[in-house]
Amino acid sequence: MPLTQLFNVPTWLPSQRFCRQSTAIIDQPALLQPRSRKLQSNPSAASVSTSMDTASTDTASNTASLDEVSWVEPPALVGSSLRILNWNIAKNNHDLAWYRDFTTLLRTHRPHLVFLQEVRLCAQRRHLPALTELAWSFAPNFLDTYHQTYSGVLTAGVVQCTRRQSILTDHHEPIAKTPKVALCTEYAIAPSGDQPTHSRPDRLLTVNAHLINFVELKKFQAQLDTLEQRMADHDGLIVFSGDFNTWSRSRWHCLQRMTQRLGLTQAVFPSWDTGQIKRFLLSPPLDYVFYRGFHQTTTTAKVIGSITSSDHKPLLLELTC
């Protein structure tokens, strides 16, 4: 039975059709290693957004309590080079054209980390065929009860993250009355071959953000303040990526001031490619990647302008430690 019938939801009323989600995270179970140890934790911790949760997966339903889940220590990212893909896919991940574009990107560029915004996930199957070879975590911000699909942000990697946290905005966008979401994930980065073997792995914090739209500036700033506080608590490497909805100069200035306070550097793309990044008329770009503790390999940075399966273009870049 469709959820609209079960809950008697009027499908023509967006504020009733789109339901705000909790801070629970859905994980990809396919890449879990054999069971090795048990982590004792509070079963309610999976829905707490004020602290980072150790990465978990339930291979049956993805919703079991933490006391029932077996855990392993995920492997570290190895080497001094980190390839990144950032893309707002406009909920098109069930479209064949998008699937072909995305799998071509993965096969051609082999990113270590993938940041996707506006991902649509079936509420019943919770499966993404294009990502079967990557470990991923998905943070939904709302459930479409008519189509029975979640929408949110997804971070994928060649290794599983060690910790993750979903942060929903307190404020809602108009009409549908839904919040926006950011997904924080942590990874261990092992020393590269030219470093001493006894060196401790660095901790990389990634923040995959979709910033709130169609609201007054103070609500946009409130989301930035929350994310800034989370990144300020981390003293290691950072990648801050996503769709920032900076369609006005005032929004863009808020973002720039925040990244400067955190010591983040904006990724640079060739001038021709920069012009292909999503924007509204003459506004600043909407999509960015910021980083700390890395150096950018500018010769490999590119915007894939030939792709039309989303109204945003994929951003690709390489960072070195």
Side-chain angles (χ1 to χ4, degrees), residues 13 26 43 46 51 61 117-118 136 172 195 209 263 270 275 292:
L13 189 61
I26 300 168
S51 62
S61 66
Q117 303 85 45
E118 291 197 37
W136 54 261
H172 297 173
Q195 292 178 305
R292 188 177 74 189

Side-chain angles (χ1 to χ4, degrees), residues 36-228:
S36 62
R37 63 184 177 90
K38 194 92 163 182
L39 177 66
Q40 299 299 323
S41 182
N42 187 330
S44 65
S47 62
V48 176
S49 64
T50 55
S51 62
M52 292 285 281
D53 298 326
T54 304
S56 66
T57 304
D58 168 31
T59 58
S61 66
N62 289 0
T63 57
S65 70
L66 297 186
D67 285 340
E68 300 171 351
V69 176
S70 293
W71 304 76
V72 296
E73 185 67 26
L77 294 167
V78 179
S80 58
S81 178
L82 188 66
R83 293 187 298 276
I84 291 172
L85 166 64
N86 179 75
W87 193 12
N88 181 325
I89 64 173
K91 302 184 181 72
N92 289 328
N93 52 288
H94 295 284
D95 182 81
L96 181 58
W98 178 87
Y99 181 87
R100 290 171 176 166
D101 287 341
F102 185 66
T103 53
T104 298
L105 286 173
L106 294 183
R107 183 174 62 251
T108 304
H109 301 282
R110 299 190 177 277
H112 300 104
L113 291 174
V114 177
F115 304 104
L116 303 179
Q117 303 85 45
E118 291 197 37
V119 176
R120 187 172 58 174
L121 183 66
C122 177
Q124 296 176 340
R125 294 186 61 195
R126 302 187 180 192
H127 177 58
L128 293 168
L131 288 166
T132 53
E133 296 184 5
L134 297 174
W136 54 261
S137 294
F138 173 78
N141 59 316
F142 68 82
L143 170 66
D144 181 341
T145 58
Y146 182 74
H147 293 103
Q148 301 185 53
T149 55
Y150 294 108
S151 180
V153 299
L154 182 146
T155 299
V158 293
V159 299
Q160 186 184 3
C161 66
T162 58
R163 306 171 76 194
R164 76 276 195 282
Q165 172 191 9
S166 173
I167 303 178
L168 286 170
T169 59
D170 293 327
H171 302 104
H172 297 173
E173 293 183 341
I175 303 179
K177 303 297 183 183
T178 56
K180 274 295 194 281
V181 66
L183 176 59
C184 305
T185 52
E186 285 190 9
Y187 299 87
I189 298 185
S192 59
D194 57 353
Q195 292 178 305
T197 56
H198 63 271
S199 298
R200 292 183 57 188
D202 286 318
R203 308 300 299 185
L204 167 64
L205 169 66
T206 74
V207 180
N208 182 0
H210 196 184
L211 266 68
I212 195 165
N213 213 355
F214 311 118
V215 296
E216 57 192 324
L217 187 62
K218 68 178 183 180
K219 295 180 180 179
F220 175 83
Q221 183 66 61
Q223 184 182 10
L224 282 179
D225 290 343
T226 302
L227 298 180
E228 179 176 1

